[in-house]
Amino acid sequence: MGQEAVDELIRLLDLESIEVNIFRGRSPEVARQRVFGGQVAGQALVAAARTVDPLRAVHSLHAYFLRPGDPTIPILYDVDRIRDGRSFATRRVVAIQHGRAIFNLQASFHVAEDGFDHQAPMPADLPDPESLPDFKQRWAAWAELMGDDYHRDRPIDTRNCDWEPGDRTRPLPPYQRVWLRADGALPDDPVLHACVVTYASDMTLLDTSLLPHAVGALDDEIFMASLDHAMWFHRPFRADEWLLYVQDTPSASGGRGLARGSIYTRDGVLAVSVVQEGLIRVMRR
């Protein structure tokens, strides 16, 4: 089912152009109370990229999640072509539902050029992703509790290096390392690979900020929601090959958690940096 789920993700990111600078996206037909944040971010990046010269690759994005998205209706993406310079192009995208902005993204695109080069090294001595359980193997003991969410097809294969679900009843170190990749083949389109990683970057990052607090990943007393999300794209990668997502949390306070991520290719190249802040609060009654 992996390739079918990946093909559905590709279709999800293939926005409909309905007017100059205006695009329409849909949500998958799954039972959700709100649209997955990574989906909105990925679709917004698609909208921005479709208004930019293909020779310019995305190098950064900064986004704010403003309101919960309604998964039962389409999302409109309105692109503002802020600037087209000699080396950089800047776009602002507003995602709209029910006549109101639900998400705002600003993205910058850069013509490829040579320059200084250094990077932080990838952690060493990690298990190979093939030796780790996939999502369904990892969460099999909790399948009944998760219900339909356990059985649905997932386009992104994730393999956690550091903790098991049963460990979440005690405080854990403030970091996690997760192997991830699209669970099937993707076309040779660098924009699509960037959008797939944007989608995947929101899957586990905020949860990192709960690890030190002995809170279970399925604890229904905790409310979590992304507030803002930033990414920097450093070097080429393929989203259908294994990537290591190294995540840590430097702070949680005032009902908010901050988490950082570095995404490496399997051969140790730092491809993407990510920072996110989100709500992590006990559910209000």
Side-chain angles (χ1 to χ4, degrees):
M1 295 298 293
Q3 187 63 53
E4 291 183 21
V6 170
D7 290 342
E8 173 59 21
L9 177 58
I10 294 171
R11 290 190 290 270
L12 194 71
L13 295 172
D14 186 16
L15 303 183
E16 176 188 1
S17 177
I18 60 174
E19 182 52 270
V20 176
N21 299 331
I22 300 177
F23 303 86
R24 178 161 52 204
R26 63 177 181 84
S27 297
E29 295 181 0
V30 296
R32 287 185 181 272
Q33 292 184 330
R34 62 180 188 262
V35 177
F36 170 53
Q39 173 198 318
V40 185
Q43 289 180 333
L45 182 56
V46 170
R50 289 191 178 174
T51 69
V52 174
D53 186 323
L55 294 178
R56 301 180 184 218
V58 61
H59 77 88
S60 70
L61 65 83
H62 301 259
Y64 283 92
F65 296 86
L66 306 175
R67 295 181 175 90
D70 182 349
T72 66
I73 66 169
I75 305 172
L76 293 183
Y77 294 92
D78 187 359
V79 181
D80 184 0
R81 304 188 188 212
I82 295 176
R83 180 177 182 269
D84 285 290
R86 181 176 299 178
S87 299
F88 292 88
T90 305
R91 298 291 185 265
R92 181 172 56 236
V93 184
V94 179
I96 301 168
Q97 283 186 317
H98 301 294
R100 301 191 300 176
I102 65 167
F103 175 86
N104 178 81
L105 174 140
Q106 188 155 307
S108 182
F109 299 78
H110 185 205
V111 175
E113 60 180 87
D114 295 328
F116 300 107
D117 196 310
H118 76 275
Q119 69 163 69
M122 184 172 80
D125 301 323
L126 290 174
D128 292 331
E130 293 86 357
S131 69
L132 297 168
D134 63 19
F135 179 88
K136 288 192 173 179
Q137 293 168 335
R138 180 178 172 80
W139 290 93
W142 289 265
E144 185 175 352
L145 179 62
M146 297 178 69
D148 291 342
D149 190 53
Y150 174 82
H151 296 285
R152 68 179 175 84
D153 298 325
R154 286 176 164 76
I156 307 298
D157 187 354
T158 57
R159 314 279 178 107
N160 195 295
C161 300
D162 295 302
W163 54 267
E164 298 296 331
D167 296 336
R168 297 295 292 268
T169 58
R170 58 182 174 84
L172 296 173
Y175 65 83
Q176 61 177 335
R177 286 82 55 89
V178 178
W179 289 104
L180 61 82
R181 67 175 177 182
D183 196 16
L186 293 170
D188 295 331
D189 177 1
V191 173
L192 178 61
H193 287 259
C195 294
V196 169
V197 163
T198 300
Y199 174 97
S201 69
D202 190 43
M203 293 175 62
T204 59
L205 188 55
L206 185 57
D207 186 56
T208 311
S209 64
L210 291 177
L211 292 176
H213 302 287
V215 176
L218 300 179
D219 193 329
D220 60 6
E221 293 297 313
I222 300 298
F223 177 80
M224 301 174 62
S226 303
L227 291 174
D228 60 321
H229 193 87
M231 301 180 70
W232 295 265
F233 298 84
H234 309 302
R235 298 173 180 85
F237 60 87
R238 288 192 64 91
D240 54 2
E241 296 178 352
W242 286 114
L243 301 167
L244 180 68
Y245 197 2
V246 180
Q247 301 156 76
D248 77 300
T249 175
S251 176
S253 66
R256 303 186 311 274
L258 182 69
R260 305 175 295 197
S262 298
I263 300 178
Y264 293 87
T265 65
R266 191 166 187 173
D267 56 359
V269 174
L270 179 59
V272 186
S273 296
V274 191
V275 177
Q276 183 181 90
E277 187 178 49
L279 286 175
I280 51 167
R281 62 160 69 120
V282 177
M283 193 74 75
R284 295 172 175 173
R285 299 299 181 185

